[in-house]
């Protein structure tokens, strides 16, 4: 019998700084009742220790955080299923690369997840971006035949030219990954925006039901983007028996 895994991916917009996560963010996560949560642009610190405890209180008892590098964002993965740290680590092509990647194993599901944020701006240039994408594509290639999920803020829209790494999204499909990214809406720029940069891919043999970008949280933030500033990417992943 197949397993239904409800996933939630969200950029919290911490901008490489310690910030307390607003209480309503936890409410939004709980409202979607996910089994797996991937939070990008998260920065661990005293200001959000309570947030991780609150995640446990809503059933996401297991959590891992990517490595800490001063003045860089991190990734938080939380789940209802037990987690283990995987062996893959992003190459040190730039200080922002390692903390924006987390390889997680799910022993109970015999599945793994590549949680990613491709850095953007500052001195992280196009050469850095293509080098990171090269490594990500190479690392993802053998996982396409296993049970695996790749999700996060890839800072790449399907319509981007190759010099902005738009070609790598198609390369993932060519490697055997199935695109589970919503075909409509935008994940950055606001509800009426046009950029889809938060993505979900699953390995062959797995399926994705009803992926969508949810902007309804913006009402709770007084109608403003910022902390978070991306849509929630919500979906249901079907894992074969």
């Amino acid at each position: 019998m197949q397993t239904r895994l409800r996933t939630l991916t969200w950029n919290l917009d911490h901008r490489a700084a310690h910030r307390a996560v607003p209480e309503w963010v936890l409410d939004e996560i709980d409202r979607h009742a996910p089994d797996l949560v991937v939070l990008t642009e998260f920065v661990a610190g005293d200001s959000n220790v309570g947030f991780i405890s609150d995640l446990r209180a809503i059933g996401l008892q297991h959590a891992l955080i990517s490595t800490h590098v001063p003045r860089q964002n991190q990734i938080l993965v939380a789940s209802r299923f037990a987690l283990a740290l995987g062996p893959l680590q992003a190459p040190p092509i730039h200080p922002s690369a390692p903390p924006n990647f987390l390889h997680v194993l799910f022993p109970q599901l015999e599945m793994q997840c590549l949680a990613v944020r491709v850095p953007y701006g500052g001195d992280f240039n196009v050469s850095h971006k293509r080098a990171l994408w090269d490594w990500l594509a190479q690392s993802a290639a053998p996982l396409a035949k296993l049970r695996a999920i790749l999700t996060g803020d890839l800072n790449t829209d399907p319509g981007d030219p190759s010099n902005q790494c738009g070609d790598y999204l198609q390369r993932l499909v060519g490697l055997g990954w199935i695109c589970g990214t919503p075909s409509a809406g935008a994940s950055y720029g606001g509800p009426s925006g046009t950029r889809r940069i938060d993505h979900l891919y699953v390995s062959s043999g797995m399926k994705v039901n009803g992926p969508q970008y949810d902007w309804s949280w913006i009402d709770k933030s007084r109608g403003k983007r910022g902390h978070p500033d991306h849509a929630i990417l919500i979906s249901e992943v079907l894992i074969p028996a």
Side-chain angles (χ1 to χ4, degrees):
M1 183 176 180
Q2 65 184 1
T3 299
R4 296 177 180 269
L5 187 76
R6 191 162 175 82
T7 69
L8 183 152
T9 303
W10 202 2
N11 182 314
L12 294 185
D13 191 33
H14 278 190
R15 302 184 186 183
H18 296 301
R19 300 180 189 275
V21 179
E23 291 184 6
W24 60 263
V25 167
L26 184 76
D27 293 338
E28 283 297 293
I29 293 174
D30 191 26
R31 180 173 67 85
H32 285 288
D35 302 301
L36 168 64
V37 171
V38 173
L39 301 177
T40 60
E41 282 202 41
F42 175 85
V43 180
D46 294 342
S47 61
N48 48 46
V49 171
F51 173 70
I52 297 174
S53 297
D54 291 340
L55 287 174
R56 295 192 184 101
I58 62 172
L60 298 162
Q61 300 98 334
H62 310 279
L64 289 173
I65 304 173
S66 63
T67 185
H68 175 261
V69 174
R71 299 184 297 279
Q72 300 296 340
N73 290 301
Q74 294 171 267
I75 289 178
L76 167 66
V77 174
S79 172
R80 299 184 189 276
F81 297 92
L83 304 176
L85 189 63
L88 292 177
Q89 298 182 30
I93 59 173
H94 187 276
S96 63
N100 277 284
F101 177 82
L102 190 59
H103 180 206
V104 176
L105 308 178
F106 298 79
Q108 183 178 346
L109 301 176
E110 298 182 346
M111 189 192 78
Q112 50 196 303
C113 175
L114 303 181
V116 189
R117 176 182 173 266
V118 175
Y120 174 81
D123 61 351
F124 189 87
N125 58 36
V126 173
S127 295
H128 293 131
K129 187 176 183 180
R130 290 198 71 82
L132 183 59
W133 262 112
D134 273 335
W135 171 83
L136 182 59
Q138 292 172 15
S139 300
L143 302 186
K145 298 179 181 179
L146 305 175
R147 292 179 176 177
I149 293 173
L150 190 161
T151 187
D153 173 8
L154 303 185
N155 266 311
T156 307
D157 183 274
D160 284 349
S162 59
N163 64 359
Q164 292 298 323
C165 299
D167 55 318
Y168 281 99
L169 297 179
Q170 284 302 314
R171 185 177 298 187
L172 287 176
V173 175
L175 291 171
W177 288 85
I178 298 168
C179 181
T181 301
S183 58
S187 68
Y188 183 75
S192 60
T194 58
R195 287 188 62 74
R196 289 184 292 148
I197 60 176
D198 296 84
H199 296 277
L200 173 74
Y201 287 81
V202 299
S203 57
S204 59
M206 296 169 65
K207 296 181 180 179
V208 179
N209 278 344
Q212 61 178 312
Y213 292 128
D214 179 10
W215 283 100
S216 62
W217 59 266
I218 204 167
D219 295 332
K220 296 184 178 181
S221 66
R222 299 189 297 276
K224 298 179 180 179
R225 289 190 303 110
H227 322 310
D229 65 345
H230 287 228
I232 299 171
L233 170 53
I234 188 76
S235 66
E236 182 184 63
V237 175
L238 305 181
I239 307 171

